[in-house]
């Protein structure tokens, strides 16, 4: 029977899944054979985030603290929707910044500078004669906008938005040679100016996350540990908390024909004998590095150099001040034409709020300053989250380093790890929460000092050592090849 089918039968027949039960209990309640009841319970454990317990006699119990419901789905669904909306808005914002970077920022800066020069030359010209270059200069300003479009979107432009390195070449071989030279010299790739502005506004783009990375690390650990691992191994290589590592192992058992055994001392061992089979010459494979070797890092605010940020601030500040000056003086396009006329009026008429050279660049420039300011304001909270995550990984390191050896974990050792990671003194509630999540209990030392014991991890380490010592090397070897299509 398929595990999912057996799970559906168990879900209908088990009256109180929140109470601990054995495989025999599930078999009696549902009428399923024990092998099908065990497969169904494993499927339910993965689907409903169930947990395993071991009695002092070595009996394995299953329980489902949420029953056969998923109260976390609503919260996670809203979180996914919020993340998707945020990602979409961020993507739209990035697109706008990329698409309008040179148009709005650079072109407006050129326009404002050109406008000031035009007004100066126009006054000098009016003082000398009646000829006015106003229309010619205004045409030149429009020409600048067209040039900005050209240099931004033309594929042969060095500022073309489609270039990954900010350079364009008519000859692809020249581009490849330049890229190869940079790689040999270990030179970082050139970052286009629009990407620097994108970083200034939205921050550096985070690297993509591989959803299969955690599973791949666990499978590598399984092969490195002779097909026998425990939850401590999963937590060490992934950094996952215990309540997430347990359901993940249930999923892996379904996907890779794994089984779970309980030792006489109550240690839980996950066996994956088939994953050891390899065509390589040796079964030896190094374990993945522990999760705490790659601590969480607070990303930089912009990822740009100081010079790039100063240049962006000055350029955007020019647009902000110039557009504010345009609005303060009512310089609509029609009023600009009046200024360039042969006889400009002494007082410009009230022609409404300037939009093209006033409100539009003012709002855009203001947004380019407000967004990074908001990110900087929330940076302290983000830094706190990063520090707390590193504190959790540090506590996990202390526990997984000492507990498998049967050593008690001093309370002061956990507090020291927390202080180093966060710079703050942890509360007793914070330490207790971390200890409870890892299945620890308080134990008093001979001199009355507070320390913690992790009986589950100690029993697991003992069981794993025995299981690995008895693991046959023949599990990893393949038989002799008797047919090959390439012969």
């Amino acid at each position: 029977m398929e595990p999912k089918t057996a799970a559906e039968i168990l879900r209908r027949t088990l009256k109180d899944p929140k109470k601990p039960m054995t495989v025999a209990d599930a078999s009696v309640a549902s009428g399923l054979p024990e092998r099908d009841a065990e497969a169904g319970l494993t499927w339910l454990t993965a689907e409903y985030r169930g947990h395993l317990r071991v009695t002092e006699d070595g009996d394995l119990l299953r329980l489902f603290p949420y029953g056969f419901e998923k109260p976390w789905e609503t919260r996670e669904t809203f979180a996914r929707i919020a993340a998707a909306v945020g990602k979409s808005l961020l993507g739209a914002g990035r697109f706008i910044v990329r698409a309008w970077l040179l148009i709005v920022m650079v072109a407006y800066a050129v326009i404002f500078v050109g406008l000031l020069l035009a007004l100066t030359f126009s006054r000098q010209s009016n003082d000398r004669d009646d000829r006015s270059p106003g229309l010619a200069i205004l045409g030149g300003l429009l020409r600048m906008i067209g040039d900005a479009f050209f240099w931004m979107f033309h594929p042969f432009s060095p500022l073309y938005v489609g270039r990954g390195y900010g350079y364009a070449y008519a000859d692809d071989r020249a581009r490849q040679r330049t890229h190869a030279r940079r790689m040999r010299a270990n030179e970082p790739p050139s970052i286009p100016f629009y990407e620097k502005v994108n970083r200034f506004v939205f921050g550096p783009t985070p690297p993509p996350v591989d959803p299969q990375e955690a599973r791949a690390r666990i499978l590598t650990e399984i092969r490195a540990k002779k097909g026998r691992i425990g939850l401590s191994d999963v937590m060490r290589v992934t950094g996952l908390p215990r309540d997430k590592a347990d359901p993940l192992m249930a999923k892996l058992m379904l996907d890779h024909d794994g089984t779970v055994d309980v030792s006489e001392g109550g240690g839980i061992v996950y066996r994956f004998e088939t994953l050891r089979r390899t065509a390589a010459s040796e079964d030896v494979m190094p374990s993945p590095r522990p999760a705490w070797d790659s601590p969480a890092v607070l990303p930089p605010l912009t990822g740009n150099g100081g010079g790039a940020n100063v240049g962006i601030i000055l350029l955007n500040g020019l647009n902000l001040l110039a557009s504010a000056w345009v609005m303060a003086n009512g310089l609509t396009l029609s009023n600009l034409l009046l200024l360039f006329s042969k006889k400009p009026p002494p007082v410009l008429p009230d022609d409404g709020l300037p939009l093209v050279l006033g409100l539009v660049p003012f709002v855009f420039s203001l947004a380019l300053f407000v967004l990074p300011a908001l990110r900087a304001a929330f940076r302290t909270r983000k830094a706190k989250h990063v520090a707390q995550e590193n504190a959790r990984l540090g506590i996990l390191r202390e526990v997984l380093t000492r507990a498998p050896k049967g050593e008690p974990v001093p309370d002061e050792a956990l507090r020291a790890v927390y202080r180093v990671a966060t710079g703050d003194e942890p509360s007793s509630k914070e330490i207790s929460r971390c200890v409870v999540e890892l299945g620890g209990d308080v134990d008093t030392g001979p001199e009355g000092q507070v320390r913690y014991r992790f009986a589950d991890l100690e029993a697991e380490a003992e069981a794993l050592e025995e299981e690995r010592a008895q693991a046959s090397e023949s599990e990893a070897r393949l038989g002799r090849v008797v047919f090959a299509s390439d012969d």
Side-chain angles (χ1 to χ4, degrees), residues 221-232:
E221 179 72 358
I222 290 173
R223 179 169 284 188
K225 300 299 185 182
K226 297 185 177 182
R228 281 80 172 165
I229 66 169
L231 286 183
S232 60

Side-chain angles (χ1 to χ4, degrees), residues 172-193:
D172 285 341
R173 288 175 297 179
R175 176 180 59 81
Q176 294 171 1
R177 287 196 298 269
T178 301
H179 179 59
R181 176 183 58 79
R182 287 185 169 181
M183 294 296 291
R184 288 194 300 269
N186 291 325
E187 296 180 9
S190 177
I191 301 174
F193 180 63

Side-chain angles (χ1 to χ4, degrees), residues 66-344:
Y66 305 104
F68 295 140
E69 297 179 355
K70 301 177 181 179
W72 62 85
E73 278 193 338
T74 302
R75 180 177 66 255
E76 293 181 353
T77 299
F78 279 116
R80 285 195 298 268
I81 293 175
V85 171
K87 185 178 180 180
S88 300
L89 293 176
L90 188 61
R94 290 180 186 276
F95 173 78
I96 292 173
V97 170
R98 285 175 180 269
W100 288 90
L101 173 63
L102 295 181
I103 307 303
V104 177
M105 178 178 283
V106 178
Y108 267 118
V110 172
I111 287 173
F112 287 134
V113 172
L115 182 61
L116 293 175
L117 294 176
L119 289 173
T120 302
F121 291 143
S122 177
R123 290 178 180 177
Q124 293 176 354
S125 177
N126 288 334
D127 292 339
R128 291 193 303 267
D129 52 43
D130 291 336
R131 292 177 299 173
S132 173
L135 293 178
I137 294 177
L138 187 59
L141 295 179
L142 296 177
R143 172 70 181 274
M144 292 178 187
I145 298 178
D147 289 343
F149 273 103
F150 175 85
W151 290 112
M152 183 173 182
F153 294 110
H154 196 284
F156 294 103
S157 166
L159 301 175
Y160 175 47
V161 296
R163 294 296 179 188
Y165 293 97
Y167 292 90
Y169 296 87
D171 186 356
D172 285 341
R173 288 175 297 179
R175 176 180 59 81
Q176 294 171 1
R177 287 196 298 269
T178 301
H179 179 59
R181 176 183 58 79
R182 287 185 169 181
M183 294 296 291
R184 288 194 300 269
N186 291 325
E187 296 180 9
S190 177
I191 301 174
F193 180 63
Y194 66 83
E195 179 61 26
K196 292 180 180 179
V197 176
N198 191 67
R199 292 181 175 187
F200 179 84
V201 178
F202 298 103
T205 303
V209 178
D210 184 3
Q212 299 298 321
E213 181 181 2
R215 291 173 64 99
R217 291 176 66 85
I218 296 173
L219 296 178
T220 302
E221 179 72 358
I222 290 173
R223 179 169 284 188
K225 300 299 185 182
K226 297 185 177 182
R228 281 80 172 165
I229 66 169
L231 286 183
S232 60
D233 300 306
V234 178
M235 292 187 291
R236 184 179 65 255
V237 301
T238 65
L240 291 173
R242 190 185 185 104
D243 60 342
K244 292 185 178 180
D246 210 343
L248 179 56
M249 286 307 302
K251 287 183 179 292
L252 291 177
M253 288 171 60
L254 288 174
D255 295 340
H256 300 282
D257 296 326
T259 59
V260 58
D261 292 336
V262 181
S263 68
E264 294 183 358
I268 298 177
V269 177
Y270 296 91
R271 297 165 57 105
F272 297 87
E273 299 176 11
T274 58
L275 285 178
R276 295 190 64 191
R277 290 197 172 275
T278 177
S281 57
E282 297 181 358
D283 179 38
V284 179
M285 176 179 289
S287 295
R289 297 185 65 84
W292 49 78
D293 282 357
S294 302
V297 178
L298 181 67
L301 184 62
T302 65
N304 294 330
N309 288 333
V310 170
I312 294 169
I313 291 173
L314 292 177
L315 189 61
N316 197 54
L318 170 64
N319 288 343
L320 187 66
L321 295 176
S323 58
W325 177 78
V326 167
M327 289 191 295
N329 290 273
L331 296 181
T332 62
L333 292 180
S334 58
N335 283 343
L336 280 176
L337 292 176
L338 291 176
L339 287 178
F340 290 124
S341 63
K342 292 182 179 180
K343 294 182 179 180

Side-chain angles (χ1 to χ4, degrees), residues 456-473:
D456 292 346
L457 296 178
E458 294 176 12
E460 178 187 282
E462 183 179 351
L464 286 171
E465 183 179 1
E466 183 178 350
E467 285 279 342
R468 289 166 184 163
Q470 297 177 359
S472 173
E473 295 301 324

